[in-house]
Amino acid sequence: MEEPCGVGAAAPRGRDVEEPKQGSVLFLGGNEVKSSAVVKYSSAPPQAAFARLQEKTDLKLPPANWLRESAKLGPAGTTILGNSKKSKPFSSFGMAYDFIDSVGNDVDVVSDSENIKKLLKIPYSKSHVSMAVHRIGRTLLLDELDIQELFMRSSQTGDWTWLKEFYQRLIDQKWQRKKKSKEHWYQKAILSKFLYYSINGDGAAQPVPSTSEQHQEGPVSGESDEAGRASWPAPFEMPSSLSEDPGASNQGSVPLEPSYIVGHVASAPKEQNLTTLFNDGENSQGLKNDFVRNILWTFEDIHMLVGSNMPIFGGGRYPAVSLRLRDNNKPINVLTGIDYWLDNLICNVPELVMCFHVNGIVQKYEMIKTEDIPNLENSDFSTKVIKDIAQNILSFLKSNCTKEGHTYWLFKASGSDIVKLYDLTTLCEETEDKYQNPFTMPVAILLYKVACNMMLKKNQNKKHYGTIRTLLLNCLKLLDNGRHPQIIASANYMLSELFQLDEPKKEDNTDFPINGNSDESYSEEEEEMPDSDENGSYSNSSDPPDDNKAVAIIKSVGELSVPEKYKSVHRIRPSCAFPVCHGTEERCRLVLNYVLEGLKSVDSSVKKEGDLPAADPSTPIPLKYEDESTSGGPECLEKQMALFLDKMGSFQKGKHSSQSGMIPGSWQFKMKLQLILKSSKAYYVLSDAAMILQKYGRALRYIKLALQCHDTYCCLCASMLPEVLVFLCQCLTLCGDIQLMLAQNANNRAAYLEEYHYQTKEDQEILHSLHRESRCQVFAWATDLSTDLECQLSISCKCYEAAYEILLFSNLKSQNPEQHIQVLKRMGNIRNEIGVFYMNQAAAVQTERAGNKNVSTTEQQLWKKSFSCFEEGIQNFESIDDATNAALLLCNTGRLMRICAQAHCAAEGDFKREFSPEEALYYNKAIDYYLKALRSLGKRDVHPAVWDSVNWELSTTYFTMATLQQDYAPLSRKAQEQIEKEVSEAMMKSLKYCDIDTVSARQPLCQYRAATIHHRLASMYHSCLRNQVGDEHLRKQHRVLADLHYSKAVRLFQLLKDAPCELLRVQLERVAFAEFQMASQNSSAGKLKTLFGALDVMAKTKGAFQLIRKELVAESEQVGKEKHAENPSPSDSSTSLNKEEVLKLLGIFESRMSFLLLQSIKLLTSTKKKVGGANEEEAALKTNKHVYSLLLRASANKSLALLERVEVILNLLEQLAQGSEAGNGGIQ
């Protein structure tokens, strides 16, 4: 079995020993209770074997080594041998500070072993009990509260007078300090000498001179008065000489902190931006853990952190024993037996060695096993009852000591059976200043330390955030800003850190679960639950009226022995859980509230002569707003940007100082930096959220505040951390996004302006704190709300450029590739936006100068600006291999080239208009950019929509160029044949990039374009054929091409349901083409064949006329409906039919049909006379004559409406088709 206590070197104090060398030993006292103990810390050396004293040794004579240091004792010295001063009132706090991990979580009770024993002996003892109880999480801290010592101090200092009066009035009207008897001091002295004899080992009494003996005994007998009194720390008006804060003296008239709360606030923490606030300065003022051993003792299901000074020796059958001295004439009573048993259980000591004496003369030794102690004669007791007492007392205290930070007083008067629990904090607040309670400060520090420790744990689960928040809020309730600004600032900063701003928003119920059944979280405003009648434990109804100040009462100590008499009724309500924030704004506002409180604490502790005048929080700070007329435009921006980047570059060189007089390195300086950075992040998140909601004015206001915070941070901070610079890039990037959105939504400018100028009181107060350190104007160029579109776009671009420059000069590009890519994408995008803006302006200028042939200088400047922006944007996208966006910008550059080409065309009224070389140059440049865009994409799969768009633009450019060359042929510079060849090539290329097969929204447009191209080509070849003489081979080629393109044009126009006029025009041109061919024919048979071909084309126009009739009918119905409607609305006909065009085409159609029918009748008649008629030709002749006569009658009737004329034509075409079928080939 491993040695249970005091083995090995002392563990470093101040933290738990993770793997204690001491094993945990299970004791079954009388087979009824379970107990195990693990030594967490020991300052004792390996225990020495005790020396058995010879019989008749006189313990009244002091040994030579009495009260002297010894190598066997180690640093603990006299403490081990029981000569330590009495337990200090803050002993549990000293332990709690050292084992902060256990507090609030694993351990139920932290206390001196003497206090634990006193509580467990309550039902057996008549002596008084007075203890202070504090709750930290699920842990109770128990300390002796020596009322009489307190009142002696009170009579000298005037403190605690309220408690003295309360005590005298309600509890003990005549109290006086009981003096310890002479017998008490005699017994204490011989025990001390006995223990020193036991380690001396020679067994011989070595008397010392009587004067020396008296001198040595003095401290033992006098310890109660001086030492006890000195153990109480003074209340918190500390003289300046006691301050240990090196920075305090430099801060002017700042109230000095107590010496045990000095230390430094976190500067740049790695995990949660937190470090421990306090150093070991708190070990003064009675908060030191001065126990020889700190033991984690588990008694049944109760976990306790216990301090013990019991001397432990080696020897016997076990490696550890406790040594006791007893007067042989006095039997061991129950109280002594419980005392011995509990001491051995707590320290895991298996055996007790008892030395009996008579009047100081040693008689004999006796060995007793720990498990046998409860069965000793005259002191037998039930270990099970002790277990029940422990469980009942713990349940009673946990049920009633519910308010964290409050000091509870557990009191039992001497000889009384009633135990009462008072809430001293509430009583104190009713009468005097809460700082008259000396426990206030240690409790606040402990609450802070436990919260800080929980925050610093690496894999901290968010379910503990509710606990941490409650600890910190309760800590803040106990503190006064004038006295403890450092802790208040730090606690508020930690509260703000609980709200994670940089994480994606999750469901609230998963983010912060309401842990309703765990002691890990609890409400700082917990109310007492209704008491159970069957327990009858907490009812005050039968008590005298004087007891109404008590929180709870145990009416009889006998009740504590009843198993489960007191059950903890303290239930945790959901109100204690981490607050559920119903949105980003609410979360950020909570953070800013805590930040503001922290800033107030810091600012209040920094005083300086000639400080800034106190600002009135009700007066808003004006947000600077300039009209674009005074802002200087983009040129002014360039200067501001240069100044900003120059300042950013100087961070590595220069030192920055605070205007308010904060000393770099002081806690105020470090804490303000952290608070400012936190507020900057909160405003950034608010701005981002407003951006998502499209509240762009609000978003700009928040990002302005974020950048003002950042500006102040930069003023204070000598060197910038990489993560802070990355955050600055994010802020500038977001600012650029907001300015761009404001530019794109100019129609809501009034609403955005109103949002921008609104300010909350909280924002104003944070700004006042910032203005103590800095003017906050470094980023003014980026956050002003301009009314000029160009200025807004320029600001947006400058924001992105600034972000990019920061990444470059800080060498952060490689560490933050994602950020780098995002900034470059945005730079490319904004340059595209600015390029388009200048391009549209150029187009507008071009429209205005319609009558002027010359291109203006303004236009040329706009082209250059636009082209420059597109070029830079393309470089941005190409640098990050963004082929799609690069293609889009190349496409826009192509469009710019087309605008330049259009600008060079002559005025429309000029009859000598020709397609100029400048137009050709710019159109060819446009084509080059479109082809580059296609090469950038590579293939359609990369981005089908962009690919199709570029193809369409390219097709359009070729088509436009060909059309202009065809319509305004540059005959002064080129031969007709050359022009025709170029037109033909351009048209064919346009067809190549015009995708008529892919099903898309653009397909009908492509089909219309292709049909138009074929129509134009057919017309061109038709025209060539008319004007050309000579080369028969070429004429034949042109005839074939004209016929081919006419056929293709007809086929494509027939696919479209909304181009009947175009279809009709093409068919009529085909008829004209047939007539031209017929004119050059000599034989009747050839002419007749061509005529029948032309009539066949006429018959095929039936589909076009049906579409025209359909649209005319729909239009007349619409007009009819509007006439019958009560409130006729303006005509909104869905038809796009051009009636003038239809009438014109109808006239041509009638004349050509009349001509063809007449010619066919003449030819058929002459053929019949010569040859003698065939049946087919007779039928055709008859049909044509009938149709011709009907056509003449219809043409003669001028009163027919358009729709009726269309109906007549359709009827004629129908008859013509029927006659053809009847004649079986009359019309071929």
Side-chain angles (χ1 to χ4, degrees), residues 249-538:
S249 58
N250 298 324
Q251 296 293 352
S253 58
V254 182
L256 295 164
E257 300 283 308
S259 59
Y260 52 79
I261 59 165
V262 299
H264 296 299
V265 173
S267 54
K270 287 185 180 177
E271 288 170 36
Q272 296 247 14
N273 292 340
L274 298 169
T275 57
T276 312
L277 177 58
F278 307 100
N279 61 15
D280 290 334
E282 70 263 14
N283 287 350
S284 59
Q285 296 293 308
L287 298 187
K288 187 177 177 183
N289 178 4
D290 53 6
F291 292 105
V292 174
R293 289 175 205 83
N294 299 128
I295 299 157
L296 195 59
W297 180 40
T298 304
F299 185 58
E300 283 292 313
D301 58 347
I302 304 168
H303 303 285
M304 291 176 264
L305 182 62
V306 182
S308 171
N309 291 326
M310 186 179 80
I312 300 175
F313 297 87
R317 291 161 296 174
Y318 295 99
V321 295
S322 59
L323 207 54
R324 300 289 182 176
L325 184 66
R326 289 297 304 171
D327 190 333
N328 210 11
N329 298 326
K330 294 178 184 175
I332 298 174
N333 61 24
V334 172
L335 294 175
T336 309
I338 292 173
D339 228 31
Y340 292 172
W341 181 67
L342 287 173
D343 267 335
N344 276 18
L345 278 191
I346 290 168
C347 293
N348 230 356
V349 175
E351 197 166 22
L352 169 69
V353 174
M354 193 96 75
C355 176
F356 292 94
H357 74 97
V358 175
N359 295 325
I361 308 297
V362 174
Q363 300 295 314
K364 61 172 181 174
Y365 280 85
E366 191 176 323
M367 311 284 276
I368 304 165
K369 289 184 180 179
T370 301
E371 57 262 40
D372 295 336
I373 295 173
N375 306 317
L376 288 177
E377 189 180 350
N378 297 323
S379 76
D380 61 319
F381 58 90
S382 166
T383 56
K384 194 169 183 306
V385 170
I386 302 293
K387 176 204 75 172
D388 292 334
I389 293 168
Q391 289 172 336
N392 280 326
I393 288 175
L394 181 66
S395 294
F396 173 77
L397 291 176
K398 279 205 169 184
S399 297
N400 296 290
C401 301
T402 55
K403 294 180 181 175
E404 222 175 22
H406 281 226
T407 299
Y408 291 91
W409 179 30
L410 186 72
F411 179 78
K412 181 178 91 72
S414 182
S416 169
D417 272 357
I418 299 173
V419 182
K420 298 177 183 178
L421 185 73
Y422 297 94
D423 183 349
L424 291 189
T425 302
T426 306
L427 294 173
C428 177
E429 286 169 354
E430 288 172 3
T431 53
E432 292 186 28
D433 177 7
K434 66 182 172 186
Y435 298 101
Q436 289 297 319
N437 176 355
F439 283 103
T440 299
M441 195 59 205
V443 172
I445 292 175
L446 187 55
L447 287 166
Y448 173 86
K449 284 197 162 196
V450 173
C452 194
N453 183 62
M454 291 178 82
M455 283 286 277
L456 285 168
K457 283 186 180 173
K458 280 188 178 176
N459 301 317
Q460 182 57 260
N461 193 314
K462 284 188 180 176
K463 71 178 181 180
H464 296 305
Y465 278 14
T467 309
I468 296 169
R469 176 175 172 270
T470 309
L471 287 164
L472 291 170
L473 289 175
N474 287 327
C475 169
L476 289 171
K477 281 181 185 175
L478 299 174
L479 299 172
D480 175 63
N481 199 29
R483 292 178 168 108
H484 319 111
Q486 186 177 3
I487 315 177
I488 289 175
S490 186
N492 276 300
Y493 174 64
M494 275 206 286
L495 281 165
S496 74
E497 277 290 291
L498 290 175
F499 297 85
Q500 295 299 311
L501 297 175
D502 50 357
E503 291 182 2
K505 186 80 174 68
K506 299 174 186 172
E507 288 299 317
D508 287 320
N509 55 357
T510 57
D511 214 353
F512 307 117
I514 293 173
N515 197 3
N517 297 318
S518 164
D519 264 343
E520 291 182 50
S521 61
Y522 40 88
S523 172
E524 68 276 19
E525 298 166 354
E526 191 64 60
E527 296 169 5
E528 289 173 37
M529 302 293 284
D531 302 321
S532 163
D533 289 339
E534 62 181 357
N535 286 346
S537 48
Y538 313 138

